[in-house]
């Protein structure tokens, strides 16, 4: 497989948009945690505390998603530098590592989405139980 300087550069827009989406998720969770914290302070509800614990796990996942995404971007830039220096074989392995880091970031994103959906299902189940009574 022939790899040129433009090959790793093709990932820049995708990784940049991905990191922007991760940052937006992080900001939304941070705002939600702040509002739930004040709600928990006044109600001491176990449901609210459970939601906060769930959000703590999701924050760790988002942090790791961002870290692996940034490492992937760094790997692409480093790959371009290596290719520019003329080390094509090392550049291929560096690019492969960048792709692997991006895949890990995406896998963590999938895990975070699954946790998010499960939390929403718990909320909906609680709503259904409350409306039936």
């Amino acid at each position: 497989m022939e790899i040129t300087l433009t090959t790793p550069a093709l990932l820049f827009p995708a990784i940049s948009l991905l990191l922007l989406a991760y940052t937006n998720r992080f900001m939304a969770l941070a705002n939600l945690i702040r509002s739930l914290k004040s709600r928990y302070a006044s109600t001491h509800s176990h449901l609210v505390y459970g939601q906060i614990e769930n959000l703590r796990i999701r924050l760790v996942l988002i942090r790791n998603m961002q870290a692996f995404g940034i490492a992937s971007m760094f790997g692409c830039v480093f790959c371009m530098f290596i290719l520019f220096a003329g080390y094509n074989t090392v550049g291929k392995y560096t690019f492969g590592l960048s792709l692997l880091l991006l895949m890990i970031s995406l896998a963590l994103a999938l895990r975070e989405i699954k946790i998010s959906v499960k939390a929403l299902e718990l909320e909906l189940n609680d709503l259904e139980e409350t409306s039936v009574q």
Side-chain angles (χ1 to χ4, degrees), residues 21-68:
Y22 292 168
T23 301
N24 287 341
R25 289 186 76 78
F26 177 80
M27 295 304 294
L29 285 183
N31 289 333
L32 184 56
I33 287 171
R34 287 183 184 100
S35 69
L36 286 175
K37 183 182 177 228
S38 65
R39 194 166 123 197
Y40 179 75
S42 63
T43 65
H44 293 290
S45 167
H46 293 291
L47 179 63
V48 173
Y49 184 77
Q51 289 174 340
I52 292 171
E53 287 300 310
N54 180 290
L55 292 174
R56 181 187 309 270
I57 295 167
R58 290 176 57 199
L59 278 176
V60 169
L61 284 172
I62 290 175
R63 180 198 62 202
N64 292 337
M65 289 161 36
Q66 289 174 323
F68 281 105

Side-chain angles (χ1 to χ4, degrees), residues 1-5 7-8 75-99:
M1 175 185 133
E2 183 64 31
I3 187 169
T4 64
L5 279 172
T7 306
C76 285
V77 173
F78 189 62
C79 175
M80 291 174 68
F81 178 74
I82 290 171
L83 291 172
F84 182 74
Y87 300 104
N88 289 341
T89 304
V90 176
K92 285 181 187 179
Y93 288 115
T94 305
F95 184 62
L97 178 63
S98 298
L99 291 176

